[in-house]
Amino acid sequence: MPTVKGDGMRGLAVFISDIRNCKSKEAEIKRINKELANIRSKFKGDKTLDGYQKKKYVCKLLFIFLLGHDIDFGHMEAVNLLSSNRYTEKQIGYLFISVLIGANNDLMKLVIQAIRNDLAGRNPIHITLALQCVANIGSREMAEGLSVDIPKLLVSGDTIDSVKQSAALTLLRLLRSSPDSIPMGEWMSRIIHLLNDQHMGVVTAAASLIENLVKKNPEEYKGCVSLAVSRLSRIVTSSYTDLQDYTYYFVPAPWLSVKLLRLLQNYPPPEDPAVKTRLSECLETILNKAQEPPKSKKVQHSNAKNAVLFEAINLIIHMDSDPNLLVRACNQLGQFLQHRETNLRYLALESMCLLATSEFSHEAVKKHQETVITALKTERDVSVRQRAVDLLYAMCDRTNAEEIVGEMLEYLESADYSIREEMVLKVAILAEKYAVDYTWYVDVILNLIRIAGDYVSEEVWYRVIQIVINRDDVQGYAAKTVFEALQAPACHENMVKVGGYILGEFGNLIAGDPRSGSAVQFQLLHSKYHLCSPATRGLLLSAYIKFINLFPEIKHIIQDVLRSDNNMRNADVELQQRSIEYLQLSSITTADVLATVLEEMPPFPERESSILAKLKKKKPSSVPEGSEQKETTASKIPAVQMSNNVDIAPPTSINLMSQGESSTDDFVDQGSPQGGSASVDLLGLGSPTQPTAPSVGSGGLLDMFDTLTSHSSAPATNGIDLGGLSGGAEEAFRKFICKNNGVLFENDLLQIGVKSEYREDLGRLWVFYGNKTTFQLNAFLVDVSTPGNLSESLSIQQKPVGGEVEAGAQVKQQFNMACVQEFAEAPVMTIQFLYSGAQQKISLKLPVVLNKYITPAEMDANTFFTRWKALNSPSQECQQIIKATSPIDHEQVKAKASGYCVL
Amino acid sequence: MMQFMLLFSRQGKLRLQKWYAAHQDKMKKKITRELVTLVLSRKPKMCSFLEWKDLKIVYKRYASLYFCCAIEPEDNELLTLEVIHRYVELLDKYFGSVCELDIIFNFEKAYFMLDELLLGGEVQETSKKNVLKAIAAQDLLQELRGIVRTSQANLGGHFRQMQRKLPRDFLRTTGLADVEAWKITYPTHFTNTA
């Protein structure tokens, strides 16, 4: 018989043995089902079970649950156990409830009543059990039901220590789960004095509770600072024998020390000079102890000691006021960088990241650059290497940028795939932030694309283009470098994109050299054309039309290329479109018009780097606030936001890139339903949020495009201009045919959700606009239009929506619709708003479809079959057998059918 | 605050789970699966800390069992390792030299002990003596009952052990990281027939 502790439920042990002896999963399930049946019959049987039996069966159920099986009975029996006056029965009852009863269970009222009885009782062991149960479940209902009893236990004079400990942490749990349910009372003022309690265990538990209270209201609990400092001081200066059992492997009270050090991190450095000095002494003592020879070789000793040390360093960094302490902390961490324990190296790298952001210790951190670089190259654990990357990023400044970026680039060639993307972002940011010489910056980014092209996100290559465009001095160099880079027999598609864009804008700057003459440039770019994706080809076509302006002498070559079947009749409608439009543009316009249309891109507006935004999104913790501060001041070059593609071209500027694209989009969308999502253009301008051609007074130019579109486009549907549905809208719209709720549209700025309900001929639809950005959306306007004669079939009434959507907020708008007669088209909703001053426009089909108005007819079986049999003419029957592309899931089919309103 | 603690075997069998924040059962299973795979795939000399979603994972292996905790970003990793160690020490003291089977057969005791050490995800009592005292008090109540019920004194091993002044303290002699100390056999001093 295996070991069973305590009063040993023999039946339970036998059951567990049986389970362990099962040879297969099936055997195990069979044994469990047998046991479940047995327990069920016992619970249902007439014979009343005694407490022991109940306990045994409840315990078996618990075991079965912990094996991963579902348990759907026995809860009542467990609740019964709570009121047993036998301790072990009560204890198993509480355990079962803690593990198995969710916050919303119907039995919760009974449980709370039992808990209240135990709390009111005199038996401290019962009180502790009840408190532990509350702490384990921590539901709102419990918080409300016990909000008076628990604080009372905590501060009452006659509560024993162990109960106080449990009460403190139980209260903490309730404050966390439902902060507003606990009335703040007189107990709060007494709570900080628990830091002075005789019993170390009470102080340890109370410190956590106090920290939580302090976080919400630091001013009110300010008194805890001096209490915490003096307690801490007593601990760190005590010898390890003083605290008896609270000394852990020769370290006095490490848990309490760490909690106190964390508590102090909620406050600025103490104002009272005496307290301040005392705290500094504590921190110095902790740093001194780190230098002493260890009192034990056990890892537990060093872990506990260093846990306190790291927390002390965190506090030093938090206060950021004592240069001496900061530098000492840095030196200490420097020692750990070469420690044989991987854990310590990891933590040292992590802590140093924070130190690097302090002006006092930044220089001291830089001394360890070599060690960190070695760590990057030699650490065997990728999570440690990741920390090394973070630290290099944090310690980088103008003096060491070139070296650090160089090392990171070198490492990137062999870096783990999991950290490449982040490294690419970091290198790109550093190169930009600390570039003195922009030719260096261009080299770095092109190297990035060469080494890790697949990990270079759009933001990175957008950014290099923005910078080249904004800086005259680097344009010639950039053109020369991309020209050289493109000579490589195999180059990454991102390189082709950058190359195409830059040569298209600035190819003329290097055309003087016959080795990179206009025709050579064109041939070089065009030699990559057939290898590229449609998106890149679209970009290259735009580069070609720009070439026609830059180099009139090769106009005929380019026109031939545009005219080739491969382009003008390309299966991809966007490429076809571009070829035709560009060809027309080059043949029918005068040189002046051409020069105006194809003018060089205007400089981009200055804004925060989008790469930084991306990195922050990816790893919020890795971009500390402090360093961000530095970035904005250190960055001398114009920074442009690009995370949202729309901003790339100021809407007022007249250039091909913005106007031409928009008109293209219109055309494509009307021509083919999937056109919106396949939009291809320079810098991805036609992304879903692309504002459709704001009518800027650009005279002849627009007219020309108008003629173009009307020449070649299919007749616009129903004679009204849909304004181009935004990308992905059609697909999302189709989903709504079978459902009533869901997300209709989503891009970087906005999420649009829809909820709808229908009854007979009336429908109600709520649209939820969620602002995903950190800025307010202004002039928010929603307009609904009904294409063709839809207005006769469907009447739509629209409730107003406020003009602003706050950052991160969601606003709701209601539509009421009445169906007058059958209809086929869907109404079109146009949403317009200003985001960071740029006009945005989104057009979507409102998901109102005819089938939503289908209503079931109530009838009994007789009526049904009479009707059914009446359907007997051949034209009323139709059967079609199709091969399903996916397995049929009944639930799913049911959901779809009921969403379609035929069930 | 600790978010949860999982104990699982080298074969990936979950032996104990404690959740300090509310999750749906489905979510719990998903998290468990994910972490068990993640931790089991790590090599011996690797760092005991991992970033996982917005939490930190701290894990340590004791013989055949992995102890794995998820803590919040501002929590102290090293000290979490020592919370694990303290828990192991408590189990070890209570069961004699503890092994995986002790935890399987006395899972409820393992939970009771954890509740004494940690409550609501925070350290409640770090004194080994105090925790064992609390558990002993529970057992005493239990055993008194046992005598009444079966007239058979069913003394728990730890009592005798305490009386014998802990003749074999594995922690002091071999250290817990030592695989031998965690052998999968039934400790001889746990026979109920004594």
Side-chain angles (χ1 to χ4, degrees):
Chain A
M1 197 66 242
T3 344
V4 179
K5 298 282 300 183
D7 73 339
M9 288 167 276
R10 207 181 146 76
L12 176 66
V14 170
F15 175 58
I16 297 177
S17 293
D18 283 359
I19 296 287
R20 286 182 56 76
N21 289 335
C22 286
K23 294 277 182 292
S24 64
K25 192 84 194 154
E26 289 71 34
E28 184 185 308
I29 290 174
K30 211 173 142 201
R31 178 68 185 86
I32 284 170
N33 285 337
K34 187 181 151 204
E35 193 64 39
L36 285 175
N38 174 41
I39 300 174
R40 212 186 290 264
S41 73
K42 295 276 190 220
F43 282 167
K44 281 206 182 132
D46 306 329
K47 228 179 87 198
T48 43
L49 300 171
D50 68 14
Y52 168 75
Q53 282 170 313
K54 254 190 224 162
K55 178 182 82 167
K56 187 175 76 186
Y57 293 130
V58 164
C59 212
K60 279 184 183 176
L61 287 179
L62 190 55
F63 181 77
I64 294 171
F65 176 78
L66 292 172
L67 282 177
H69 302 269
D70 293 329
I71 296 295
D72 53 6
F73 69 102
H75 301 71
M76 196 57 213
E77 283 73 13
V79 173
N80 285 341
L81 286 177
L82 295 186
S83 44
S84 163
N85 50 13
R86 284 169 185 157
Y87 178 73
T88 57
E89 288 161 18
K90 198 187 266 295
Q91 193 182 25
I92 295 290
Y94 272 124
L95 180 60
F96 184 92
I97 283 160
S98 303
V99 175
L100 259 136
I101 293 197
N104 300 321
N105 198 290
D106 304 335
L107 297 173
M108 198 43 90
K109 278 207 166 51
L110 290 174
V111 174
I112 291 177
Q113 191 47 49
I115 288 173
R116 193 174 287 129
N117 291 343
D118 277 337
L119 288 183
R122 291 252 137 215
N123 188 337
I125 295 190
H126 290 182
I127 299 180
T128 311
L129 266 188
L131 286 174
Q132 283 168 351
C133 179
V134 177
N136 281 327
I137 298 176
S139 68
R140 166 165 291 273
E141 213 177 333
M142 282 184 164
E144 282 161 3
L146 304 164
S147 61
V148 184
D149 313 52
I150 296 174
K152 212 161 71 191
L153 275 174
L154 181 60
V155 290
S156 149
D158 50 355
T159 309
I160 67 162
D161 292 331
S162 67
V163 172
K164 265 194 200 163
Q165 278 167 277
S166 301
L169 291 176
T170 306
L171 188 56
L172 170 60
R173 171 68 204 258
L174 295 180
L175 280 171
R176 274 182 180 146
S177 56
S178 35
D180 42 334
S181 310
I182 307 288
M184 301 295 152
E186 176 231 11
W187 59 274
M188 302 182 72
S189 57
R190 291 162 65 179
I191 203 114
I192 59 170
H193 296 286
L194 287 175
L195 289 176
N196 265 336
D197 201 281
Q198 297 274 317
H199 190 280
M200 290 289 275
V202 173
V203 191
T204 310
S208 296
L209 173 64
I210 295 171
E211 202 204 344
N212 180 281
L213 293 169
V214 158
K215 276 202 156 60
K216 275 187 224 134
N217 195 350
E219 208 39 46
E220 186 164 346
Y221 298 96
K222 227 165 72 183
C224 74
V225 173
S226 64
L227 291 173
V229 170
S230 68
R231 188 91 212 193
L232 183 67
S233 162
R234 270 180 280 157
I235 295 170
V236 296
T237 53
S238 67
S239 100
Y240 64 86
T241 48
D242 292 353
L243 297 170
Q244 294 160 353
D245 213 30
Y246 287 91
T247 296
Y248 181 83
Y249 289 86
F250 304 102
V251 182
W255 279 279
L256 179 54
S257 309
V258 165
K259 282 185 180 185
L260 292 172
L261 287 163
R262 267 185 60 180
L263 176 61
L264 291 169
Q265 285 173 53
N266 291 293
Y267 289 96
E271 284 156 19
D272 181 345
V275 178
K276 193 174 178 173
T277 318
R278 201 155 181 208
L279 180 57
S280 293
E281 281 165 10
C282 285
L283 295 170
E284 267 167 29
T285 315
I286 295 172
L287 285 169
N288 290 341
K289 278 192 182 169
Q291 295 299 327
E292 289 169 11
K295 294 198 177 61
S296 155
K297 282 205 171 64
K298 288 235 164 73
V299 68
Q300 283 76 30
H301 172 68
S302 86
N303 277 352
K305 192 163 129 180
N306 292 327
V308 177
L309 176 64
F310 275 108
E311 209 57 61
I313 291 176
N314 282 344
L315 178 59
I316 293 171
I317 297 171
H318 166 80
M319 298 197 299
D320 198 16
S321 60
D322 186 338
N324 172 39
L325 282 177
L326 281 161
V327 170
R328 280 194 67 185
C330 185
N331 294 340
Q332 183 60 52
L333 292 177
Q335 288 180 16
F336 285 153
L337 285 183
Q338 311 204 40
H339 202 278
R340 62 186 166 79
E341 278 271 332
T342 315
N343 289 346
L344 282 181
R345 295 197 301 273
Y346 176 94
L347 293 175
L349 288 166
E350 192 179 55
S351 264
M352 257 199 187
C353 268
L354 295 175
L355 274 178
T357 59
S358 163
E359 53 172 323
F360 300 114
S361 50
H362 184 79
E363 286 303 314
V365 172
K366 275 166 65 184
K367 283 191 205 129
H368 303 286
Q369 189 176 322
E370 284 312 308
T371 322
V372 182
I373 288 171
T374 318
L376 181 66
K377 289 176 177 163
T378 58
E379 281 291 349
R380 273 186 294 172
D381 184 348
V382 59
S383 43
V384 185
R385 291 197 292 270
Q386 164 87 60
R387 290 281 152 273
V389 172
D390 290 348
L391 178 52
L392 284 177
Y393 176 74
M395 69 160 72
C396 193
D397 62 20
R398 209 166 287 277
T399 62
N400 57 12
E402 212 152 318
E403 194 185 342
I404 286 182
V405 166
E407 292 289 351
M408 283 170 87
L409 271 177
E410 195 188 315
Y411 173 66
L412 196 55
E413 304 209 30
S414 58
D416 310 72
Y417 295 113
S418 56
I419 61 174
R420 280 196 185 187
E421 191 189 351
E422 198 190 312
M423 277 194 77
V424 167
L425 290 176
K426 286 187 162 156
V427 169
I429 292 169
L430 292 178
E432 178 188 331
K433 203 160 92 176
Y434 299 119
V436 182
D437 173 3
Y438 277 89
T439 59
W440 173 72
Y441 169 77
V442 170
D443 285 342
V444 168
I445 302 293
L446 292 184
N447 264 329
L448 271 185
I449 297 176
R450 193 175 51 74
I451 296 169
D454 286 342
Y455 298 89
V456 172
S457 55
E458 288 184 330
E459 284 86 349
V460 174
W461 73 263
Y462 286 178
R463 187 77 186 144
V464 68
I465 285 174
Q466 290 178 337
I467 287 176
V468 168
I469 285 180
N470 286 5
R471 298 193 64 91
D472 301 345
D473 52 336
V474 78
Q475 288 161 354
Y477 180 80
K480 183 164 155 282
T481 323
V482 289
F483 179 78
E484 279 161 10
L486 285 173
Q487 308 273 355
C491 55
H492 195 273
E493 194 165 331
N494 279 336
M495 187 71 91
V496 179
K497 288 180 188 164
V498 176
Y501 200 115
I502 290 187
L503 291 181
E505 294 290 329
F506 310 112
N508 55 331
L509 300 177
I510 56 166
D513 187 333
R515 282 168 300 172
S516 54
S518 52
V520 186
Q521 282 183 36
F522 175 72
Q523 290 309 339
L524 181 62
L525 275 185
H526 199 57
S527 68
K528 316 282 179 196
Y529 187 79
H530 64 287
L531 299 169
C532 294
S533 67
T536 312
R537 288 190 194 188
L539 186 148
L540 286 177
L541 287 178
S542 296
Y544 296 169
I545 185 77
K546 287 228 159 189
F547 270 178
I548 293 185
N549 180 40
L550 295 179
F551 313 120
E553 68 274 15
I554 56 166
K555 180 171 173 178
H556 61 282
I557 309 181
I558 293 174
Q559 283 181 330
D560 284 347
V561 168
L562 293 174
R563 206 175 285 127
S564 74
D565 282 357
N566 188 25
N567 286 325
M568 219 152 92
R569 294 174 195 214
N570 195 296
D572 186 298
V573 72
E574 172 69 28
L575 292 180
Q576 202 184 88
Q577 167 86 15
R578 281 194 193 213
S579 304
I580 295 169
E581 286 188 358
Y582 291 163
L583 188 61
Q584 285 291 329
L585 178 66
S586 67
S587 6
I588 62 171
T589 50
T590 63
D592 279 352
V593 172
L594 201 61
T596 321
V597 176
L598 301 172
E599 206 180 9
E600 202 178 284
M601 288 291 279
F604 292 94
E606 297 189 19
R607 256 183 258 156
E608 185 197 11
S609 164
S610 60
I611 310 180
L612 201 62
K614 178 162 175 144
L615 182 66
K616 264 190 251 177
K617 206 164 143 193
K618 212 172 138 60
K619 276 191 80 183
S621 55
S622 74
V623 188
E625 292 302 312
S627 75
E628 196 185 312
Q629 205 71 42
K630 269 191 257 170
E631 260 145 34
T632 38
T633 47
S635 156
K636 284 199 299 194
I637 52 148
V640 194
Q641 168 127 27
M642 290 206 45
S643 63
N644 128 43
N645 307 331
V646 189
D647 289 336
I648 195 162
T652 45
S653 79
I654 303 161
N655 64 48
L656 179 76
M657 302 310 150
S658 77
Q659 300 289 4
E661 297 316 329
S662 318
S663 102
T664 309
D665 274 358
D666 280 1
F667 166 63
V668 173
D669 280 329
Q670 288 164 12
S672 73
Q674 75 273 33
S677 55
S679 73
V680 192
D681 51 58
L682 210 45
L683 291 190
L685 272 168
S687 78
T689 44
Q690 165 64 24
T692 41
S695 51
V696 186
S698 51
L701 192 66
L702 273 181
D703 292 346
M704 187 188 72
F705 277 107
D706 283 346
T707 22
L708 262 180
T709 1
S710 56
H711 267 309
S712 42
S713 73
T717 32
N718 293 329
I720 69 142
D721 181 13
L722 291 185
L725 288 184
S726 301
E730 185 67 28
E731 199 190 337
F733 171 78
R734 260 189 239 127
K735 279 195 205 141
F736 276 91
I737 293 176
C738 284
K739 55 183 202 175
N740 288 329
N741 309 327
V743 174
L744 181 61
F745 174 82
E746 177 155 29
N747 67 10
D748 287 340
L749 310 176
L750 201 63
Q751 187 193 48
I752 301 178
V754 168
K755 221 172 123 174
S756 53
E757 59 180 31
Y758 296 88
R759 213 167 59 213
E760 290 172 6
D761 62 336
L762 299 176
R764 220 179 325 175
L765 188 129
W766 293 273
V767 183
F768 299 84
Y769 308 97
N771 181 354
K772 289 169 68 180
T773 69
T774 48
F775 300 100
Q776 194 187 44
L777 303 180
N778 297 314
F780 199 86
L781 208 74
V782 180
D783 198 8
V784 171
S785 64
T786 42
N789 48 9
L790 179 61
S791 54
E792 292 167 31
S793 323
L794 185 72
S795 75
I796 302 180
Q797 180 207 354
Q798 170 187 1
K799 293 267 160 73
V801 60
E804 268 88 42
V805 185
E806 293 294 337
Q810 194 182 54
V811 296
K812 180 168 97 171
Q813 186 180 23
Q814 187 180 335
F815 294 87
N816 294 331
M817 295 145 317
C819 178
V820 184
Q821 60 187 62
E822 72 278 13
F823 59 93
E825 288 290 332
V828 174
M829 168 166 76
T830 312
I831 300 146
Q832 296 186 65
F833 56 90
L834 285 172
Y835 167 69
S836 304
Q839 177 72 32
Q840 309 284 335
K841 184 171 160 187
I842 300 167
S843 294
L844 300 166
K845 277 194 196 172
L846 207 53
V848 183
V849 277
L850 187 60
N851 59 280
K852 298 290 181 193
Y853 291 97
I854 300 175
T855 17
E858 297 268 339
M859 59 182 81
D860 56 26
N862 282 338
T863 339
F864 174 76
F865 279 106
T866 327
R867 283 222 203 172
W868 179 255
K869 285 181 186 133
L871 301 170
N872 53 8
S873 76
S875 65
Q876 286 173 319
E877 185 182 322
C878 172
Q879 185 179 18
Q880 197 182 356
I881 297 170
I882 49 161
K883 254 208 165 108
T885 48
S886 53
I888 292 177
D889 175 358
H890 283 285
E891 283 308 307
Q892 223 177 334
V893 172
K894 217 169 120 188
K896 282 219 170 114
S898 74
Y900 195 83
C901 298
V902 292
L903 262 188
Chain B
M1 169 191 162
M2 191 181 289
Q3 297 283 310
F4 55 83
M5 185 192 243
L6 304 173
L7 260 70
F8 49 88
S9 69
R10 220 161 23 161
Q11 291 76 34
K13 280 245 180 204
L14 192 61
R15 294 301 182 205
L16 186 137
Q17 44 175 323
K18 186 79 189 177
W19 303 85
Y20 294 109
H23 291 284
Q24 295 290 322
D25 280 348
K26 225 166 99 192
M27 196 60 198
K28 286 182 187 172
K29 281 188 183 159
K30 187 168 165 263
I31 294 174
T32 310
R33 257 200 320 273
E34 215 170 290
L35 279 180
V36 168
T37 325
L38 185 68
V39 170
L40 288 180
S41 68
R42 308 227 351 134
K43 296 191 187 77
K45 284 280 167 193
M46 282 187 167
C47 171
S48 312
F49 317 129
L50 286 175
E51 275 186 352
W52 183 74
K53 308 212 164 143
D54 45 1
L55 297 175
K56 295 195 284 201
I57 303 297
V58 178
Y59 72 93
K60 186 159 180 179
R61 182 179 152 184
Y62 286 91
S64 63
L65 268 191
Y66 282 88
F67 290 70
C68 171
C69 300
I71 54 174
E72 291 178 320
E74 66 275 12
D75 287 325
N76 195 308
E77 294 100 330
L78 283 175
L79 213 52
T80 306
L81 273 182
E82 296 319 302
V83 169
I84 294 176
H85 187 75
R86 176 106 297 180
Y87 183 46
V88 173
E89 283 183 343
L90 288 167
L91 292 170
D92 200 83
K93 265 263 155 69
Y94 183 75
F95 287 109
S97 70
V98 66
C99 66
E100 196 181 331
L101 273 188
D102 289 321
I103 295 173
I104 298 173
F105 279 95
N106 300 287
F107 67 94
E108 78 281 11
K109 283 285 168 212
Y111 276 102
F112 297 150
M113 199 116 48
L114 190 57
D115 273 346
E116 295 292 332
L117 176 66
L118 294 173
L119 194 59
E122 300 284 353
V123 172
Q124 174 176 223
E125 179 55 85
T126 65
S127 155
K128 201 156 55 175
K129 215 164 66 191
N130 289 352
V131 173
L132 288 172
K133 216 160 68 189
I135 297 287
Q138 292 174 10
D139 281 354
L140 190 66
L141 284 170
Q142 190 160 298
E143 276 146 17
L144 290 175
R145 272 279 307 135
I147 292 164
V148 177
R149 186 171 59 81
T150 62
S151 75
Q152 207 179 56
N154 202 355
L155 285 175
H158 67 287
F159 264 126
R160 264 165 295 133
Q161 223 189 17
M162 279 176 175
Q163 283 155 7
R164 278 185 283 162
K165 298 267 182 227
L166 306 170
R168 267 192 329 139
D169 185 352
F170 268 97
L171 293 171
R172 215 159 288 161
T173 52
T174 57
L176 273 173
D178 188 341
V179 181
E180 275 311 297
W182 274 71
K183 61 198 178 302
I184 303 291
T185 51
Y186 304 131
T188 48
H189 53 280
F190 279 147
T191 41
N192 279 342
T193 49

